mmCIF file of all heavy atoms in Angstrom:
data_model
loop_
_atom_site.group_PDB
_atom_site.id
_atom_site.type_symbol
_atom_site.label_atom_id
_atom_site.label_comp_id
_atom_site.label_asym_id
_atom_site.label_seq_id
_atom_site.Cartn_x
_atom_site.Cartn_y
_atom_site.Cartn_z
ATOM 1 N N MET A 151 36.213 24.259 -53.549
ATOM 2 C CA MET A 151 35.406 23.074 -53.678
ATOM 3 C C MET A 151 34.190 23.158 -52.814
ATOM 4 O O MET A 151 34.277 23.503 -51.573
ATOM 5 C CB MET A 151 36.238 21.885 -53.325
ATOM 6 C CG MET A 151 35.476 20.562 -53.434
ATOM 7 S SD MET A 151 36.422 19.173 -52.732
ATOM 8 C CE MET A 151 35.852 19.248 -51.036
ATOM 9 N N PHE A 152 32.983 22.807 -53.369
ATOM 10 C CA PHE A 152 31.747 22.704 -52.555
ATOM 11 C C PHE A 152 31.462 21.231 -52.284
ATOM 12 O O PHE A 152 31.466 20.440 -53.226
ATOM 13 C CB PHE A 152 30.629 23.337 -53.318
ATOM 14 C CG PHE A 152 30.595 24.816 -53.334
ATOM 15 C CD1 PHE A 152 31.492 25.553 -54.093
ATOM 16 C CD2 PHE A 152 29.710 25.562 -52.527
ATOM 17 C CE1 PHE A 152 31.515 26.926 -54.107
ATOM 18 C CE2 PHE A 152 29.737 26.977 -52.562
ATOM 19 C CZ PHE A 152 30.654 27.600 -53.350
ATOM 20 N N THR A 153 31.183 20.906 -51.026
ATOM 21 C CA THR A 153 30.693 19.550 -50.721
ATOM 22 C C THR A 153 29.628 19.620 -49.635
ATOM 23 O O THR A 153 29.218 20.706 -49.219
ATOM 24 C CB THR A 153 31.878 18.633 -50.360
ATOM 25 O OG1 THR A 153 31.386 17.345 -50.254
ATOM 26 C CG2 THR A 153 32.512 19.011 -49.083
ATOM 27 N N SER A 154 29.191 18.479 -49.233
ATOM 28 C CA SER A 154 28.064 18.423 -48.207
ATOM 29 C C SER A 154 28.157 17.086 -47.494
ATOM 30 O O SER A 154 29.105 16.283 -47.854
ATOM 31 C CB SER A 154 26.722 18.606 -48.873
ATOM 32 O OG SER A 154 26.528 17.525 -49.845
ATOM 33 N N ILE A 268 30.924 14.510 -49.075
ATOM 34 C CA ILE A 268 32.100 13.906 -48.376
ATOM 35 C C ILE A 268 31.595 12.931 -47.331
ATOM 36 O O ILE A 268 32.301 12.034 -46.908
ATOM 37 C CB ILE A 268 32.985 14.974 -47.774
ATOM 38 C CG1 ILE A 268 34.287 14.394 -47.282
ATOM 39 C CG2 ILE A 268 32.290 15.779 -46.531
ATOM 40 C CD1 ILE A 268 35.438 15.227 -47.308
ATOM 41 N N ALA A 274 35.458 13.725 -52.531
ATOM 42 C CA ALA A 274 35.774 15.143 -52.100
ATOM 43 C C ALA A 274 37.085 15.179 -51.371
ATOM 44 O O ALA A 274 37.812 16.180 -51.490
ATOM 45 C CB ALA A 274 34.601 15.757 -51.281
ATOM 46 N N ALA A 275 37.342 14.142 -50.612
ATOM 47 C CA ALA A 275 38.612 14.125 -49.801
ATOM 48 C C ALA A 275 39.830 13.986 -50.779
ATOM 49 O O ALA A 275 40.920 14.361 -50.497
ATOM 50 C CB ALA A 275 38.609 12.979 -48.850
ATOM 51 N N ALA A 278 39.946 17.670 -52.585
ATOM 52 C CA ALA A 278 40.260 18.842 -51.767
ATOM 53 C C ALA A 278 41.815 19.233 -51.775
ATOM 54 O O ALA A 278 42.075 20.419 -51.847
ATOM 55 C CB ALA A 278 39.825 18.581 -50.323
ATOM 56 N N THR A 284 37.761 24.847 -49.027
ATOM 57 C CA THR A 284 36.460 24.093 -49.244
ATOM 58 C C THR A 284 35.355 24.764 -48.514
ATOM 59 O O THR A 284 35.596 25.517 -47.645
ATOM 60 C CB THR A 284 36.662 22.606 -48.583
ATOM 61 O OG1 THR A 284 36.861 22.771 -47.238
ATOM 62 C CG2 THR A 284 37.819 21.877 -49.235
ATOM 63 N N ILE A 285 34.184 24.489 -49.007
ATOM 64 C CA ILE A 285 32.963 24.985 -48.382
ATOM 65 C C ILE A 285 31.984 23.825 -48.188
ATOM 66 O O ILE A 285 31.768 23.027 -49.138
ATOM 67 C CB ILE A 285 32.262 26.115 -49.278
ATOM 68 C CG1 ILE A 285 33.219 27.342 -49.301
ATOM 69 C CG2 ILE A 285 30.890 26.491 -48.744
ATOM 70 C CD1 ILE A 285 32.773 28.473 -50.174
ATOM 71 N N LEU A 286 31.492 23.736 -46.955
ATOM 72 C CA LEU A 286 30.597 22.591 -46.637
ATOM 73 C C LEU A 286 29.161 23.164 -46.569
ATOM 74 O O LEU A 286 28.889 24.083 -45.826
ATOM 75 C CB LEU A 286 30.981 22.034 -45.261
ATOM 76 C CG LEU A 286 30.231 20.858 -44.760
ATOM 77 C CD1 LEU A 286 30.417 19.593 -45.625
ATOM 78 C CD2 LEU A 286 30.728 20.487 -43.311
ATOM 79 N N ILE A 287 28.328 22.563 -47.398
ATOM 80 C CA ILE A 287 26.889 22.967 -47.390
ATOM 81 C C ILE A 287 26.165 22.010 -46.389
ATOM 82 O O ILE A 287 26.306 20.808 -46.497
ATOM 83 C CB ILE A 287 26.260 22.705 -48.804
ATOM 84 C CG1 ILE A 287 27.103 23.444 -49.883
ATOM 85 C CG2 ILE A 287 24.821 23.182 -48.800
ATOM 86 C CD1 ILE A 287 26.786 24.754 -50.206
ATOM 87 N N ALA A 299 29.869 17.242 -37.823
ATOM 88 C CA ALA A 299 31.195 17.271 -37.241
ATOM 89 C C ALA A 299 32.090 16.214 -37.908
ATOM 90 O O ALA A 299 33.280 16.522 -38.176
ATOM 91 C CB ALA A 299 31.150 17.057 -35.796
ATOM 92 N N SER A 300 31.637 15.062 -38.198
ATOM 93 C CA SER A 300 32.550 14.054 -38.818
ATOM 94 C C SER A 300 32.798 14.408 -40.275
ATOM 95 O O SER A 300 33.918 14.154 -40.738
ATOM 96 C CB SER A 300 31.899 12.664 -38.689
ATOM 97 O OG SER A 300 30.954 12.398 -39.685
ATOM 98 N N SER A 301 31.822 15.065 -40.929
ATOM 99 C CA SER A 301 32.185 15.521 -42.344
ATOM 100 C C SER A 301 33.252 16.575 -42.299
ATOM 101 O O SER A 301 34.153 16.699 -43.129
ATOM 102 C CB SER A 301 30.927 16.004 -42.994
ATOM 103 O OG SER A 301 29.942 14.955 -43.084
ATOM 104 N N LYS A 302 33.097 17.494 -41.372
ATOM 105 C CA LYS A 302 33.999 18.590 -41.228
ATOM 106 C C LYS A 302 35.419 18.010 -40.884
ATOM 107 O O LYS A 302 36.380 18.447 -41.382
ATOM 108 C CB LYS A 302 33.566 19.580 -40.105
ATOM 109 C CG LYS A 302 34.542 20.768 -39.918
ATOM 110 C CD LYS A 302 34.217 21.579 -38.720
ATOM 111 C CE LYS A 302 35.288 22.569 -38.485
ATOM 112 N NZ LYS A 302 36.581 22.077 -38.045
ATOM 113 N N ALA A 303 35.426 16.995 -40.000
ATOM 114 C CA ALA A 303 36.732 16.380 -39.636
ATOM 115 C C ALA A 303 37.391 15.787 -40.834
ATOM 116 O O ALA A 303 38.630 15.882 -41.032
ATOM 117 C CB ALA A 303 36.505 15.429 -38.539
ATOM 118 N N LYS A 304 36.600 15.158 -41.708
ATOM 119 C CA LYS A 304 37.124 14.590 -42.930
ATOM 120 C C LYS A 304 37.786 15.651 -43.803
ATOM 121 O O LYS A 304 38.828 15.416 -44.370
ATOM 122 C CB LYS A 304 36.076 13.868 -43.747
ATOM 123 C CG LYS A 304 35.682 12.472 -43.214
ATOM 124 C CD LYS A 304 34.680 11.827 -44.121
ATOM 125 C CE LYS A 304 34.128 10.591 -43.480
ATOM 126 N NZ LYS A 304 33.026 9.979 -44.159
ATOM 127 N N LEU A 305 37.058 16.755 -43.900
ATOM 128 C CA LEU A 305 37.658 17.887 -44.671
ATOM 129 C C LEU A 305 38.892 18.426 -44.042
ATOM 130 O O LEU A 305 39.886 18.700 -44.754
ATOM 131 C CB LEU A 305 36.635 19.041 -44.851
ATOM 132 C CG LEU A 305 35.485 18.817 -45.831
ATOM 133 C CD1 LEU A 305 34.494 19.931 -45.803
ATOM 134 C CD2 LEU A 305 36.112 18.692 -47.281
ATOM 135 N N ASP A 306 38.871 18.540 -42.708
ATOM 136 C CA ASP A 306 40.072 19.093 -42.010
ATOM 137 C C ASP A 306 41.284 18.141 -42.272
ATOM 138 O O ASP A 306 42.412 18.647 -42.430
ATOM 139 C CB ASP A 306 39.816 19.122 -40.530
ATOM 140 C CG ASP A 306 38.893 20.259 -40.101
ATOM 141 O OD1 ASP A 306 38.661 21.173 -40.992
ATOM 142 O OD2 ASP A 306 38.244 20.222 -39.067
ATOM 143 N N ARG A 307 41.035 16.834 -42.318
ATOM 144 C CA ARG A 307 42.211 15.909 -42.481
ATOM 145 C C ARG A 307 42.807 16.035 -43.890
ATOM 146 O O ARG A 307 43.948 15.580 -44.104
ATOM 147 C CB ARG A 307 41.698 14.450 -42.255
ATOM 148 C CG ARG A 307 41.521 14.105 -40.809
ATOM 149 C CD ARG A 307 41.506 12.587 -40.597
ATOM 150 N NE ARG A 307 40.288 12.025 -41.111
ATOM 151 C CZ ARG A 307 39.140 11.922 -40.424
ATOM 152 N NH1 ARG A 307 39.106 12.421 -39.170
ATOM 153 N NH2 ARG A 307 38.100 11.382 -40.940
ATOM 154 N N THR A 308 42.106 16.652 -44.842
ATOM 155 C CA THR A 308 42.730 16.810 -46.148
ATOM 156 C C THR A 308 43.829 17.881 -46.114
ATOM 157 O O THR A 308 44.636 18.011 -47.107
ATOM 158 C CB THR A 308 41.656 17.229 -47.242
ATOM 159 O OG1 THR A 308 41.214 18.574 -46.928
ATOM 160 C CG2 THR A 308 40.549 16.270 -47.291
ATOM 161 N N GLY A 309 43.793 18.678 -45.076
ATOM 162 C CA GLY A 309 44.809 19.740 -44.958
ATOM 163 C C GLY A 309 44.427 21.018 -45.694
ATOM 164 O O GLY A 309 45.106 22.096 -45.557
ATOM 165 N N THR A 310 43.386 20.985 -46.463
ATOM 166 C CA THR A 310 42.933 22.223 -47.248
ATOM 167 C C THR A 310 41.952 22.990 -46.304
ATOM 168 O O THR A 310 41.067 22.361 -45.794
ATOM 169 C CB THR A 310 42.199 21.786 -48.518
ATOM 170 O OG1 THR A 310 43.185 21.036 -49.341
ATOM 171 C CG2 THR A 310 41.755 22.999 -49.333
ATOM 172 N N PRO A 311 42.131 24.274 -46.112
ATOM 173 C CA PRO A 311 41.272 24.983 -45.237
ATOM 174 C C PRO A 311 39.848 24.965 -45.542
ATOM 175 O O PRO A 311 39.434 25.100 -46.727
ATOM 176 C CB PRO A 311 41.790 26.452 -45.211
ATOM 177 C CG PRO A 311 42.813 26.504 -46.312
ATOM 178 C CD PRO A 311 43.162 25.091 -46.758
ATOM 179 N N LEU A 312 38.987 24.828 -44.483
ATOM 180 C CA LEU A 312 37.505 24.960 -44.689
ATOM 181 C C LEU A 312 37.222 26.401 -44.588
ATOM 182 O O LEU A 312 37.469 27.053 -43.526
ATOM 183 C CB LEU A 312 36.871 24.153 -43.603
ATOM 184 C CG LEU A 312 35.338 24.286 -43.496
ATOM 185 C CD1 LEU A 312 34.671 23.661 -44.770
ATOM 186 C CD2 LEU A 312 34.809 23.587 -42.256
ATOM 187 N N GLY A 314 34.265 27.932 -44.932
ATOM 188 C CA GLY A 314 33.074 28.260 -44.248
ATOM 189 C C GLY A 314 32.010 27.161 -44.437
ATOM 190 O O GLY A 314 32.184 26.210 -45.229
ATOM 191 N N ILE A 315 30.951 27.344 -43.691
ATOM 192 C CA ILE A 315 29.801 26.350 -43.751
ATOM 193 C C ILE A 315 28.598 27.167 -44.185
ATOM 194 O O ILE A 315 28.354 28.203 -43.616
ATOM 195 C CB ILE A 315 29.615 25.694 -42.363
ATOM 196 C CG1 ILE A 315 30.760 24.831 -42.013
ATOM 197 C CG2 ILE A 315 28.297 24.850 -42.387
ATOM 198 C CD1 ILE A 315 30.727 24.199 -40.646
#
Side-chain angles (χ1 to χ4, degrees):
M151 183 190 85
F152 284 74
T153 188
S154 60
I268 193 150
T284 63
I285 293 179
L286 182 63
I287 309 268
S300 79
S301 299
K302 180 186 173 295
K304 279 184 190 169
L305 282 175
D306 288 342
R307 282 198 291 274
T308 67
T310 301
L312 174 65
I315 295 174

